[in-house]
Amino acid sequence: MDKVCSRQNTVHIVILVFLSWIGIAHSIDCFKCVSMNGKFPACDDPFHNNHSLQMLESPCMGGRKGRDGLFPATSCIKIAGVFDDTGERITVRGCGLDSGTVTTDTEIIRMSHCGRFYYNDRYVHGCLQSCNDADACNAAPTATPSLSLLAAILYHVTSVNS
């Protein structure tokens, strides 16, 4: 009987330890701003994170192809370039999410690229970059154990051995 209880307690402890590492999903935070011809220098490159908290959107939400409403972003994006027709410079920072289509060319966040592309029905020569691997470029926090769950495990272990 003692071996059965001991085995059950071990299984419970293993399950509790495993569950303590499951974190709550956090959505991505991204900087959101637009600068035309340097009119909003805080948004332009080089980007200095001195006064940018007012530009940080937390959580950053974006539209999804074929769906109504906003959804938590999976990546941050930055567009920097020059309009072909007027020579105006543009910098756009925002967030985006994968809509689940099959090809990379229909998903803006899957691949950074430079060249010519359409933005607001105008040609832009520049680069579109996406990232999801750093804070404010938006990696989720690393998984850490829940302190309350670890305390429960410690209590359980000490009460079983008493």
Side-chain angles (χ1 to χ4, degrees), residues 3-159:
K3 286 185 180 183
V4 172
C5 286
S6 177
R7 185 173 290 149
Q8 285 177 340
N9 286 337
T10 302
V11 169
H12 287 125
I13 290 170
V14 169
I15 290 170
L16 289 172
V17 168
F18 175 75
L19 290 175
S20 72
W21 286 93
I22 296 175
I24 297 171
H26 296 279
S27 58
I28 290 175
D29 300 343
C30 296
F31 292 108
K32 283 184 107 174
C33 60
V34 176
S35 180
M36 293 287 291
N37 273 336
K39 292 213 169 49
F40 189 23
C43 186
D44 285 322
D45 285 328
F47 187 73
H48 299 290
N49 194 7
N50 296 336
H51 306 287
S52 55
L53 285 181
Q54 69 270 14
M55 294 183 289
L56 186 64
E57 182 137 337
S58 177
C60 205
M61 306 291 279
R64 193 167 183 182
K65 293 176 190 169
R67 299 260 183 100
D68 291 334
L70 297 174
F71 300 87
T74 56
S75 295
C76 291
I77 58 173
K78 182 185 93 170
I79 298 170
V82 177
F83 284 107
D84 281 354
D85 57 354
T86 62
E88 291 176 293
R89 288 179 294 117
I90 184 168
T91 303
V92 178
R93 296 178 190 275
C95 58
L97 64 149
D98 196 309
S99 292
T101 59
V102 179
T103 59
T104 300
D105 62 334
T106 59
E107 295 293 344
I108 195 169
I109 65 159
R110 287 191 193 164
M111 184 174 67
S112 297
H113 57 278
C114 294
R116 283 193 163 76
F117 49 88
Y118 267 120
Y119 179 78
N120 286 345
D121 297 324
R122 296 168 67 191
Y123 269 114
V124 175
H125 181 84
C127 294
L128 184 145
Q129 297 169 307
S130 67
C131 58
N132 62 3
D133 60 345
D135 238 351
C137 193
N138 306 329
T142 56
T144 55
S146 162
L147 291 178
S148 57
L149 195 51
L150 287 176
I153 291 169
L154 182 61
Y155 173 76
H156 180 72
V157 169
T158 55
S159 65

